């Protein structure tokens, strides 16, 4: 049992809770060390990445970056489970052509109860039904069955994918994929699109669909950022200028959008004050830092634009400011303002 107020080694060797594995948690690519881990919100379950070769029983020593899960509130300590195992085996998965295995977790990678984990991997033998031979693809691991399922695919072909996330209730999976996965032609630039998948039915929807949607083409490059707890609302970034009816082209700068799965429509988050279809002035948006509230109502993000709110007074030049978008009002307000002076 996890001692109250005490630290434990999660990345330990089987049967020895106090002995760390033979390598660290995370990944060093020669320039930076990345920590990939996720904690289930409503259960004492953690998923993490490590290059250790001795964390799970039967793991083998193939090497590379692999994913593991551990349940913390287990008497006498819980051993790690290898998530990225070869189909039908306890051993590590392998990448095509002898390349080093590589798997990673993104934001919102684990359901609240800890049962489901979504991730990206370049392994080729995780799912017996179809080899993962498209580079890095998106997978779902089910703790109850122990099986991995390739998600970024059609009936016969694996596709590349990333930015994988799952709603807290486990109902909805969102990721950045290729337009061709949904039978669509590529967009004006990269053919990256945002895909929503119903975990139970397996049905997929193009979130970043052009308006009007002819069912064949796709908008310009888009990327998934966050999903609400119930899977209804999806936050994403895009270079496209045809995601909202009447949207004004702002020269291919990225903007933030909020998609309503029930309505099947997107709202432009980073719009000029009073103009819901006009992007704010051409400027850099730190879209990768945007955050969506659990209920999907609020989006926080930072920007150096000066026309997101009316009466804005720029007190810091090119530095970014914090903004909050309210889905219900469709408007932005500045978060990083002086006391009682919201426009400054």
């Amino acid at each position: 049992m996890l001692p109250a107020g005490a630290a434990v080694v999660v990345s330990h060797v089987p049967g020895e809770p106090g002995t760390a594995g033979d390598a660290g948690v995370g990944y060093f690519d020669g320039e930076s060390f990345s920590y990939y881990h996720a904690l289930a919100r409503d259960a004492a379950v953690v998923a993490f990445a490590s290059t250790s070769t001795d964390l799970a029983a039967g793991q083998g020593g193939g090497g590379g970056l692999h994913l593991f899960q551990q349940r913390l509130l287990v008497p006498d300590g819980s051993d790690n489970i290898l998530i990225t195992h070869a189909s039908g085996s306890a051993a590590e998965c392998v990448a095509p052509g002898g390349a080093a295995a590589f798997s990673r977790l993104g934001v919102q990678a684990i359901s609240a109860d800890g049962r489901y984990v979504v991730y990206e991997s370049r392994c080729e033998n995780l799912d017996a039904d179809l080899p993962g031979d498209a580079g890095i693809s998106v997978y779902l691991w089910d703790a109850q069955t122990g099986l991995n399922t390739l998600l970024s695919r059609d009936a016969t072909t694996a596709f590349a994918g990333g930015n994988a996330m799952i709603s807290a209730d486990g109902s909805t999976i969102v990721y950045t994929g290729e337009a061709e996965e949904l039978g669509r032609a590529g967009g004006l630039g990269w053919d990256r699109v945002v895909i929503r998948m119903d975990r139970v039915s397996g049905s997929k929807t193009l979130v970043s669909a052009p308006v009007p949607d002819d069912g064949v083409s796709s908008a310009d490059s888009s990327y998934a950022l966050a999903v609400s707890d119930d899977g209804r609302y999806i936050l994403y970034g895009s270079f496209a200028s045809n995601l909202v009816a009447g949207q004004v082209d702002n020269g291919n700068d990225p903007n933030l959008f909020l998609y309503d799965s029930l309505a099947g429509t997107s709202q432009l988050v980073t719009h000029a004050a009073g103009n819901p279809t006009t992007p704010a002035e051409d400027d850099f948006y730190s879209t990768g830092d945007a955050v969506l509230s659990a209920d999907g109502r609020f989006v926080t993000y930072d920007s150096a634009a000066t026309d997101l709110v009316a009466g804005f007074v720029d007190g810091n030049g090119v530095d970014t400011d914090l903004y909050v978008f309210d889905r219900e009002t469709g408007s932005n307000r500045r978060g990083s303002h002086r006391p009682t002076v919201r426009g400054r």
Side-chain angles (χ1 to χ4, degrees):
M1 186 72 71
L2 182 66
V8 297
V9 179
V10 173
S11 52
H12 65 76
V13 300
E16 301 180 38
T19 303
D22 60 13
V25 173
Y27 178 70
F28 183 70
D29 62 6
E31 296 181 358
S32 62
F33 198 85
S34 300
Y35 295 89
Y36 302 124
H37 52 263
L39 184 67
R41 191 179 66 191
D42 300 334
V45 177
V46 61
F48 64 96
S50 178
T51 53
S52 291
T53 60
D54 59 352
L55 294 182
Q59 178 182 346
L65 185 67
H66 289 277
L67 302 181
F68 302 84
Q69 188 195 69
Q70 184 180 138
R71 294 188 174 272
L72 303 176
L73 298 181
V74 176
D76 302 321
S78 174
D79 284 342
N80 293 298
I81 300 170
L82 176 63
I83 293 175
T84 49
H85 63 82
S87 177
S89 169
E92 298 171 346
C93 64
V94 296
F102 180 84
S103 302
R104 64 189 176 198
L105 300 164
V107 296
Q108 296 180 269
I110 189 169
S111 58
D113 62 2
R115 175 175 176 177
Y116 300 105
V117 176
V118 290
Y119 64 95
E120 302 138 35
S121 179
R122 68 176 173 213
C123 283
E124 65 177 351
N125 59 340
L126 287 161
D127 185 342
D129 186 53
L130 188 67
D133 56 2
I136 293 180
S137 298
V138 176
Y139 291 85
L140 171 70
W141 180 74
D142 184 341
Q144 286 191 8
T145 65
L147 298 178
N148 289 288
T149 303
L150 174 61
L151 303 183
S152 54
R153 57 169 293 178
D154 61 15
T156 60
T157 306
F159 291 91
N163 303 97
M165 59 196 70
I166 189 168
S167 58
D169 65 2
S171 67
T172 303
I173 297 166
V174 180
Y175 58 94
T176 304
E178 297 183 78
E180 289 80 0
E181 180 183 336
L182 299 181
R184 302 265 184 155
L188 300 177
W190 299 327
D191 61 349
R192 296 295 182 261
V193 297
V194 179
I195 297 173
R196 178 185 186 272
M197 178 177 177
D198 184 299
R199 183 191 55 77
V200 177
S201 70
S203 63
K204 296 178 180 179
T205 302
L206 177 61
V207 172
S208 53
V211 177
D213 186 5
D214 59 10
V216 178
S217 60
S218 63
D220 207 354
S221 186
S222 304
Y223 43 97
L225 292 172
V227 59
S228 62
D229 280 6
D230 62 359
R232 174 174 177 176
Y233 298 101
I234 297 168
L235 178 66
Y236 67 101
S238 181
F239 291 86
S241 58
N242 59 341
L243 296 172
V244 175
Q247 182 180 340
V248 176
D249 189 350
N250 70 328
N252 208 38
D253 279 347
N255 282 283
L256 291 175
F257 296 85
L258 186 61
Y259 177 78
D260 183 342
S261 300
L262 291 184
T265 57
S266 293
Q267 283 179 283
L268 174 61
V269 172
T270 48
H271 65 76
N275 296 286
T277 60
T278 301
E281 63 180 15
D282 293 353
D283 214 326
F284 173 75
Y285 297 105
S286 298
T287 53
D289 295 328
V291 177
L292 179 67
S293 63
D295 64 358
R297 175 174 176 178
F298 298 104
V299 177
T300 61
Y301 64 97
D302 53 285
S303 174
T306 59
D307 59 346
L308 286 161
V309 297
F312 177 83
V313 177
D314 192 359
N316 56 25
V318 297
D319 290 337
T320 58
D321 298 290
L322 178 67
Y323 291 88
V324 180
F325 173 80
D326 185 337
R327 173 179 51 80
E328 292 190 357
T329 65
S331 61
N332 289 285
R333 64 181 178 87
R334 192 176 179 190
S336 54
H337 59 77
R338 295 175 182 174
T340 72
V341 186
R342 292 194 174 180
R344 300 184 178 182

